[in-house]
Amino acid sequence: MTDASDAARRARRDGLGVALATSAYGISFGALAVASGLDVWQTCVLSLVMFTGGSQFAFIGVIGAGGLAATPAAIASAGLLGVRNVAYGLRMAPVIGTSRWRRIVAPQFTIDESTAVALAHEEPRARRLGFWVTGIGIYLGWNLTTLLGALLGDVLGDPRAYGLDAAAAAAFLALLWPRLKQRQAIAVGVAAAVVATVLTPVLMPGMPVLIAALVAVVVGWTNWFAPGAAVRRGHGRNEPGEPAGAERPPDDPQGPGGELEGLP
């Protein structure tokens, strides 16, 4: 019981920390949305209804560059970025709980941050708490700071000068870092980051994220960099009766790196 309570406490703490960091960036969105031509009320409605930061920034970015004539492109860009939430929903379905009201409201809170905090924990109750605390906390904080940013946009100037755009990224890195303990996890993260960085300048918003996610799935599914992957790919030889692909301990002379490795 103590372990479960400790896990739940950590989930609440992580959720609140991520909510605070992400909500701070809402000031930037509010100010930039008004600067791109939206009214204060339009900016607030966008956060209340759309509520997915990447899609919102993509929308106002296109509107700001092309005006109302660019609305179809803005909707397409925001939609592409929002596609990832479908995958999050499938993954979070067994986490959120079974009651009808939870399943009705959960899609509104199924975002990058709530999914990341939930999956950072192993205990079922901790995962559920992490999801709800993060999702509801960010929804409240994001909409409040969106209003503040929209009202104070002229006073604040360019909000990116305050480094608020790095707050959400820092929160994600803090969640990701403890999981980077194996080569496979590092390979997935590096591959996705490199692809997204290379493609961002040349593709419309939303596409780099989707392609990077696809690369991450492929690298993770192939499991090339996992311990013992060389044995599973046929570089080791199993004894008669030994299951195919079974890993040998490091001190086994016939295992990977053993003195008999490679001998007939």
Side-chain angles (χ1 to χ4, degrees):
M1 181 63 69
T2 302
D3 291 342
S5 299
D6 290 343
R9 192 160 43 246
R10 287 194 300 271
R12 281 192 291 265
R13 182 191 61 203
D14 291 347
L16 289 174
V18 171
L20 288 173
T22 305
S23 296
Y25 196 24
I27 297 177
S28 179
F29 171 74
L32 292 175
V34 171
S36 70
L38 298 182
D39 296 333
V40 172
W41 74 269
Q42 290 173 326
T43 300
C44 292
V45 167
L46 197 60
S47 279
L48 284 167
V49 177
M50 184 177 288
F51 186 54
T52 171
S55 296
Q56 291 180 232
F57 277 102
F59 184 87
I60 64 170
V62 177
I63 289 292
L68 290 178
T71 299
I75 294 174
S77 297
L80 279 174
L81 276 169
V83 167
R84 70 192 189 281
N85 288 6
V86 176
Y88 297 161
L90 294 174
R91 185 64 183 86
M92 289 295 99
V95 172
I96 60 175
T98 58
S99 66
R100 177 175 298 180
W101 74 266
R102 288 185 179 182
R103 293 192 173 275
I104 291 174
V105 302
Q108 183 69 3
F109 304 126
T110 303
I111 54 177
D112 299 327
E113 293 83 359
S114 60
T115 303
V117 172
L119 295 182
H121 297 273
E122 299 294 337
E123 204 273 329
R125 181 167 178 264
R127 282 190 166 185
R128 187 164 55 252
L129 276 173
F131 174 86
W132 288 108
V133 170
T134 307
I136 295 175
I138 292 178
Y139 187 81
L140 297 175
W142 180 265
N143 281 282
L144 176 61
T145 54
T146 292
L147 175 61
L148 292 176
L151 294 174
L152 303 176
D154 293 337
V155 177
L156 292 173
D158 187 355
R160 289 171 292 189
Y162 300 98
L164 294 178
D165 54 336
F172 268 109
L173 182 60
L175 289 172
L176 179 64
W177 190 259
R179 305 176 78 88
L180 299 179
K181 297 179 180 179
Q182 297 180 348
R183 288 175 297 173
Q184 180 67 12
I186 295 173
V188 170
V190 170
V194 168
V195 170
T197 301
V198 171
L199 295 181
T200 295
V202 297
L203 294 179
M204 66 182 297
M207 289 302 297
V209 173
L210 295 177
I211 296 175
L214 179 61
V215 170
V217 169
V218 171
V219 175
W221 179 69
T222 54
N223 214 26
W224 285 335
F225 298 95
V231 175
R232 289 193 295 273
R233 291 199 301 269
H235 292 281
R237 181 175 297 173
N238 301 104
E239 294 294 329
E242 187 177 14
E247 299 181 28
R248 298 180 183 277
D251 57 349
D252 189 332
Q254 295 185 20
E259 60 184 271
L260 302 182
E261 181 185 17
L263 294 180

